[in-house]
Amino acid sequence: MPNSKQTLVVVGNGMVGHRLLELMVAKGALDRWNLITFCEEPRVAYDRVHLSQYFVNKTAADLTLVEPGFYQDNGIQVYIGDRIVEIDRVQQRVKSANGVEITYDRLVLATGSYPFVPPIQGNDATGTFVYRTIDDLDAIKTYAEQSRVGVVVGGGLLGLECANALKSLGLETHVVEFAPRLMPVQLDEAGGEILKEKIQGLGVQVHTSKVTTDIVSENGKLASMQFADETSLQTDMIVFSAGIRPRDELARGCGLQLGERGGVVIDEACQTSDPKIYAIGECALYQQRIFGLVAPGYQMAEVASDHLLSLPTAQQFTGADMSTKLKLLGVDVASFGDNFAKTPGAKALAVTDAVAGTYKKLVVNADGSRLLGGILVGDATAYGTLLQLMQNQMALPGSPLSLLVPASSDNTAALSIDNLPDTAQICSCNNVTKGQLCEAIRDDNITDLPTLKKCTNAGTGCGGCVPLVKDVLTSELKKSGVEVNNHLCEHFPYSRQELYHLLRVGEIKSFEALLAQHGTGYGCEICKPTVGSMLASSWNEHVLNTPHVGLQDTNDAFLANIQKDGTYSVIPRIPGGEITPEKLIALGQVAQEFDLYTKITGAQRVDLLGARVEQLPLIWQRLVETGFESGHAYGKALRTVKSCVGSTWCRFGVQDSTSLAIELELRYRGLRSPHKLKSAVSGCTRECAEAQGKDFGIIATENGWNLYVCGNGGMKPQHAILLATDLDKETLIKYIDRFLVFYIRTADKLERTSTWFNKLEGGLEYLKQVIIEDALGIADELEAQMQYHVNTYQCEWKATVESAEKMQRFRHFVNTDAVDPSLAYVQERGQKRPATEAERVVLNQSKDALVTPAH
Amino acid sequence: MIREVSTTTADSTAWVTICALDAIAPNTGVNAQVGTEQVAIFRIGQTDEVYATGNFDPFSKTFVMSRGIVGDRQGVLKVASPIYKLNFELKTGLCLDDATVTIPIYPARVVDDQVQIGASCHTRS
Ligand code: SRM
Ligand SMILES: Cc1cc2nc3c(=O)[nH]c(=O)nc-3n(C[C@H](O)[C@H](O)[C@H](O)COP(=O)(O)OP(=O)(O)OC[C@H]3O[C@@H](n4cnc5c(N)ncnc54)[C@H](O)[C@@H]3O)c2cc1C
Ligand code: SF4
Ligand code: FES
């Protein structure tokens, strides 16, 4: 290499040291600089922030931060497993433990920090660990295999993360905290208390205000910890997580200026007291502060690289935001800004909801117009929004309380993404501003979140900013008038309607064929069920036949509705809601036999809940024997045709609504459609069956039947509209046939008839022309398609229990007949119901292994 | 000289035979008991390309991953968890909709039409 180049040595190849090298390369340093780094650990830089995932499912290779070939391709020299032991500032030379000596022009210290181990007697016993490197984790994992109990000393951010990790290794886990509460730096007493409950809910025992005085070993093995209050705790292993200390030993050795309690002093350019030496990351001390988070370290790397390259636009380091969000699954904690209201005049307001287990506190300035900081425990969804309000010093709504307790409507008005300035930092982990996101969206024509994340790095750290990143994307796309296209998904450049047409015209009978002719890729959870439904409504083949089975949503795939605990519900068809006493008894017997929770549904039938996947075919075998059929409660298909008793019994009834409802339900049963279809028949204008709230509803008149269509209950109720009056039964059925097939052919995916109608150009008049006048000349075709459906209908469950091959799929395990051991129930009002999480903890103490997630 | 420092050696994997390849319908998943763990195994198309992840869905906290729909996002093979429809990359276990979440993955292969899962990956120390 030509000697004209300068040499930069980076001591430490951790997160920040590596970022510096990346930035140097990106900023074009290679033609003027030789880059060399020393890496004490046996592997190049890896993602320490996600270190705990090493226990879950990440390998060391997954965690690496170094793109394959990055160092080789850029000619960067890396000494793996070699530590710098001495700096000679006069000669400008460094010396490594392996005896390598290098002369530098500039030196960067990126040596990070080390875990502080409190000076307790016995703190170096076998069985004590720290939590910082992959090697530490390997050691912990090995030792945990022969341990039952583990204690984490330190209830801060890292300590809790570590406790969660020990828990996942199957240890009985305790956290011992010296302070009277958890996360004492970030949380106040009330917040700490709620967090403690949450953490204990995870099965980790928390001991606060505990001063450890002695760590006792017996026969060379760790046995217990003694506390100042004379209590003790038996344990097999201890992990110290009681804070970090900067690794400043090299700086100390060569006489650089250090802080009183350690840390290499730096200025706004990240230069130490020797201008040829920089310090960045956790070893650096700026204005008496160490920054124990990765984002400030990355900022320092930005500043130092600018400065090393003498860029005219060089940025300065002026401190950093230390807002934090705990990234434990299931425990939301966030703390930001002036969380303890130390600013003069600051006021705090807090809301504790002991029932929901949440604590939210806001700190505002004297007149309550600006947000200064806050604490969120139990529910940190507002974190991103609040952080933006604080960082951009935006005016708060009239009462800050409304930020914590959203009024019945929405409080988002206070933070419309459009009100944010371009300089607003959206992602603090990777320092990405709103302006940068907008630029990427515009310049690279980005239209989806994953690409935006990849291009800008936003959202790839703690993930806390993802909702905001998404908002920016949506708002920008809308502004630039990007037509949010109606393509089904990335695999098919067509709307559902276009695709349905292609499928019928081309007589395409499988997803694979449709994909090969009109799509790309493998498909996804959006196009597969949609195409599955189109195939079913066109050709009516059994949804569990081999080419179709993989297309079905889990409900269709198992012909039952999945419930929150992974079991299923069984809803047999009860046409028109009419049922014989014998059948009612039979339902009760099946429920009793299989111990199912039983409930009358809102649509005149009976739901049997809590069926395990392997029980489904057995239950259905019994039901089919007693004459029941699938109720399709699981499918985007016809559900029920509700009825009232009508003229047979009711003193006001003018027609036999029950018989008609049963006839219609049997005609359209099994019909798959863009969304579910519901119907009802009322025997008179009193409308007891609520027909005007249905996709198609019929009301009896003196002269026949009135047909209403496109009504909806549910989320956005809409009255049905009157399509035709005083029809005889044959005409009525003809119109309904046409209406349903026309809807099935033209609606978008997951569009109920009401929404479909609201978008229909020409509205009611047009619909009347197509259905009644046959203006498009397709009425015969529509009727024929419905007749084909009626002729080919088969009960899906009957066909399933008659096929050994299909039955084979209904097992929890493919390789054993065991049942899912994670299910747990308690009794309530004489029936079972799924145990809550708290109840499961108690119930599970007697079980083990399979009931907790794999680690 | 820089080389990735690998901590796994390919040969140390112990393989457990689970079922015949035919037992997994193309583009679907099955759940297997491997030791004390529940492992979801997915088959891509008619091929013998198989992937294995933990069966536990961290969002619904239930053991149902094997019942998700397999497919791809921008060419990345993934499965959508069946209850709340979050997507996980089959090769890495990474949640594509929430980068803070991952599920375990296991080595999987087909030998003589039998599906095998590598069990040693998680007991490695
Ligand atoms: C069981 C039942 C509640 C009950 O215990 O009564 C129920 C249960 C569910 N309803 Fe419902 N709905 C039930 C009657 C209703 C009714 C009343 C009715 O049908 O007369 C309505 C309003 C009428 C309507 O649909 O217009 C209703 C409007 C909804 C909606 C909103 C639909 C809409 O377009 O606004 C959803 C959400 C959706 O489908 O997207 C929904 C979704 C659901 C889901 C599928 C939610 C889910 O994804 O898990 C629930 C399935 C639970 C299960 O596995 O059984 N359910 N749901 C009722 C089953 C009726 C049956 O026998 O088939
Ligand atoms: C379990 C855990 C969870 C975390 N979670 C978060 C989080 O959620 N959010 C967040 O912002 N931060 C988090 N952090 C902190 C974050 O990892 C650090 O802020 C970041 O790694 C600091 O980077 P660094 O380069 O300064 O130090 P490091 O990444 O520690 O790198 C320093 C490297 O220098 C090496 N070294 C030291 N001395 C020498 C020498 N003399 N010669 C050669 N090499 C040397 C060290 O061995 C080390 O590899 C977490 C940390 C841990 C341990
Ligand atoms: S109203 Fe909501 S909770 Fe009740 S059954 Fe319907 S979907 Fe489920
Ligand atoms: S703020 Fe952490 S990923 Fe964006």
Side-chain angles (χ1 to χ4, degrees), chain A residues 42-44 50 53-62 64 66 68 71-72 76-80 134 138 141-142 145 327 329-330 448 450-451 453-454 459-464 466 490-491 512 520-525 528-529 546 549-554 558 562-568 613 809 812-816 818 820-822 837 840 849-855, chain B residues 1-8 16-20 23-39 41 44-46 49 51 54-64 66-87 91-106 121-125:
Chain A
R43 54 183 67 78
V44 290
H50 290 110
Q53 305 216 341
Y54 186 65
F55 278 154
V56 187
N57 64 342
K58 293 253 164 149
T59 63
D62 294 333
T64 190
V66 184
Y71 289 140
Q72 295 97 312
I76 300 173
Q77 226 175 325
V78 184
Y79 292 89
I80 298 182
I134 289 185
D138 277 334
K141 196 188 236 176
T142 311
E145 274 162 25
K327 56 186 185 301
L329 194 65
D448 65 298
T451 317
K453 282 165 74 175
K454 208 174 245 155
T460 57
C462 70
V466 172
E490 67 177 73
H491 303 103
E512 281 68 28
T520 53
Y522 295 84
C524 66
E525 77 284 5
K528 284 185 171 182
T546 315
V549 59
L551 307 178
Q552 316 301 337
D553 241 325
T554 183
F558 292 94
I562 199 161
Q563 304 295 319
K564 64 194 290 185
D565 66 349
T567 62
Y568 291 86
V613 68
R809 289 183 52 255
H812 187 70
F813 292 110
V814 69
N815 59 344
T816 115
D820 183 354
S822 72
E837 269 197 66
R840 293 173 67 92
L850 287 155
V851 298
T852 50
H855 43 74
Chain B
M1 258 288 35
I2 299 311
R3 297 256 311 294
E4 277 265 1
V5 188
S6 167
T7 52
T8 10
V16 184
T17 298
I18 303 296
C19 62
I24 314 181
N27 292 315
T28 68
V30 296
N31 176 34
Q33 183 171 333
V34 181
T36 59
E37 288 170 14
Q38 300 198 26
V39 177
I41 308 168
I44 305 303
Q46 307 275 357
E49 191 178 345
Y51 295 96
N55 195 40
F56 184 73
D57 166 12
F59 292 96
S60 66
K61 302 204 167 67
T62 54
F63 289 82
V64 296
S66 64
R67 303 180 215 158
I69 292 185
V70 290
D72 78 292
R73 182 181 286 175
Q74 316 262 288
V76 173
L77 287 172
K78 49 124 190 147
V79 58
S81 63
I83 296 196
Y84 298 123
K85 309 281 150 68
L86 287 109
N87 288 284
K91 289 182 184 164
T92 62
L94 184 70
C95 177
L96 297 170
D97 302 308
D98 180 347
T100 62
V101 178
T102 45
I103 55 174
I105 47 166
Y106 300 79
C121 135
H122 286 258
T123 50
R124 175 175 59 80
S125 57

Side-chain angles (χ1 to χ4, degrees), chain A residues 168-184:
Chain A
S168 76
L169 290 176
L171 297 184
E172 175 190 318
T173 308
H174 300 258
V175 170
V176 170
E177 169 59 51
F178 168 82
R181 60 175 183 274
L182 292 175
M183 293 180 67

Side-chain angles (χ1 to χ4, degrees), chain A residues 61-348:
Chain A
D62 294 333
L63 287 175
T64 190
L65 291 175
V66 184
E67 289 281 326
F70 175 78
Y71 289 140
Q72 295 97 312
D73 297 350
N74 293 306
I76 300 173
Q77 226 175 325
V78 184
Y79 292 89
I80 298 182
D82 198 3
R83 182 167 56 96
I84 295 295
V85 289
E86 195 187 310
I87 301 173
D88 180 339
R89 284 168 51 199
V90 180
Q91 302 283 324
Q92 293 185 207
R93 281 174 85 76
V94 288
K95 198 157 108 195
S96 82
N98 290 349
V100 180
E101 291 197 25
I102 296 197
T103 307
Y104 63 81
D105 294 293
R106 291 288 182 278
L107 184 69
V108 174
L109 297 176
T111 50
S113 62
Y114 65 91
F116 171 65
V117 176
I120 303 166
Q121 179 142 343
N123 64 11
D124 55 351
T126 311
T128 58
F129 301 88
V130 293
Y131 198 74
R132 175 96 199 158
T133 65
I134 289 185
D135 286 355
D136 291 339
L137 266 66
D138 277 334
I140 290 172
K141 196 188 236 176
T142 311
Y143 204 83
E145 274 162 25
Q146 32 159 337
S147 304
R148 197 183 61 80
V149 185
V151 173
V152 177
V153 174
L157 206 62
L158 286 187
L160 293 179
E161 196 177 315
C162 175
N164 199 42
L166 291 191
K167 186 87 208 337
S168 76
L169 290 176
L171 297 184
E172 175 190 318
T173 308
H174 300 258
V175 170
V176 170
E177 169 59 51
F178 168 82
R181 60 175 183 274
L182 292 175
M183 293 180 67
V185 184
Q186 290 90 356
L187 299 187
D188 56 14
E189 208 177 305
E193 201 46 43
I194 297 270
L195 178 61
K196 182 172 171 181
E197 272 168 37
K198 293 261 161 193
I199 297 286
Q200 290 190 326
L202 290 180
V204 172
Q205 298 179 46
V206 178
H207 313 266
T208 46
S209 299
K210 287 279 179 195
V211 182
T212 313
T213 50
D214 209 353
I215 292 168
V216 184
S217 296
E218 281 165 18
N219 307 326
K221 279 191 68 186
L222 198 71
S224 67
M225 307 169 69
Q226 303 292 332
F227 304 117
D229 61 5
E230 311 263 288
T231 57
S232 68
L233 183 61
Q234 306 250 322
T235 185
D236 302 315
M237 57 192 295
I238 296 176
V239 184
F240 291 105
S241 186
I244 54 167
R245 295 290 181 268
R247 288 196 59 176
D248 53 14
E249 66 269 16
L250 283 175
R252 191 180 301 272
C254 67
L256 291 177
Q257 189 189 342
L258 301 183
E260 264 168 44
R261 274 170 288 145
V264 187
V265 171
I266 58 166
D267 61 12
E268 282 74 19
C270 296
Q271 275 167 313
T272 66
S273 52
D274 176 343
K276 293 198 162 39
I277 304 181
Y278 293 73
I280 55 177
E282 287 188 344
C283 63
L285 184 80
Y286 176 75
Q287 292 190 345
Q288 315 292 340
R289 267 184 103 176
I290 292 287
F291 296 85
L293 292 175
V294 74
Y298 283 173
Q299 259 168 273
M300 293 181 204
E302 239 356 301
V303 171
S305 57
D306 278 2
H307 207 260
L308 281 161
L309 295 168
S310 313
L311 296 184
T313 53
Q315 313 168 39
Q316 293 208 322
F317 185 77
T318 53
D321 179 44
M322 293 296 278
S323 304
T324 39
K325 190 163 172 225
L326 188 64
K327 56 186 185 301
L328 287 188
L329 194 65
V331 185
D332 263 11
V333 183
S335 167
F336 54 98
D338 181 12
N339 50 0
F340 290 127
K342 289 194 183 132
T343 314
K347 293 180 185 148

Side-chain angles (χ1 to χ4, degrees), chain A residues 541-720:
Chain A
E541 289 175 16
H542 198 292
V543 292
L544 297 190
N545 282 358
T546 315
H548 310 314
V549 59
L551 307 178
Q552 316 301 337
D553 241 325
T554 183
N555 283 0
D556 284 294
F558 292 94
L559 305 177
N561 294 47
I562 199 161
Q563 304 295 319
K564 64 194 290 185
D565 66 349
T567 62
Y568 291 86
S569 74
V570 170
I571 307 187
R573 185 167 301 291
I574 301 178
E578 182 187 85
I579 187 164
T580 62
E582 289 72 24
K583 277 189 150 178
L584 209 45
I585 289 169
L587 277 184
Q589 283 171 337
V590 170
Q592 236 169 15
E593 196 175 312
F594 292 90
D595 187 21
L596 303 171
Y597 167 85
T598 309
K599 180 180 182 300
I600 306 293
T601 73
Q604 298 188 340
R605 38 193 194 172
V606 180
D607 200 350
L608 312 176
L609 296 107
R612 296 192 305 269
V613 68
E614 75 280 1
Q615 289 180 319
L616 286 172
L618 306 176
I619 291 169
W620 273 103
Q621 228 155 15
R622 289 284 317 276
L623 290 173
V624 168
E625 273 166 23
T626 19
F628 282 104
E629 286 187 331
S630 165
H632 290 95
Y634 46 82
K636 301 294 176 229
L638 179 85
R639 295 289 171 84
T640 62
V641 182
K642 273 171 54 165
S643 76
C644 68
V645 282
S647 59
T648 11
W649 291 88
C650 179
R651 59 196 163 129
F652 297 117
V654 292
Q655 304 280 353
D656 181 359
S657 51
T658 312
S659 295
L660 181 67
I662 293 170
E663 188 175 340
L664 292 179
E665 183 158 343
L666 294 180
R667 179 170 182 81
Y668 301 119
R669 65 187 160 180
L671 179 68
R672 284 199 152 66
S673 44
H675 205 319
K676 57 194 174 193
L677 283 170
K678 297 183 177 183
S679 176
V681 183
S682 281
C684 82
T685 171
R686 287 169 191 73
E687 245 283 70
C688 296
E690 301 168 320
Q692 292 169 95
K694 299 297 177 199
D695 296 280
F696 58 104
I698 298 101
I699 301 177
T701 66
E702 302 281 346
N703 309 315
W705 307 98
N706 283 354
L707 173 60
Y708 292 81
V709 292
C710 304
N712 205 164
M715 293 182 272
K716 211 163 161 283
Q718 182 168 324
H719 274 130

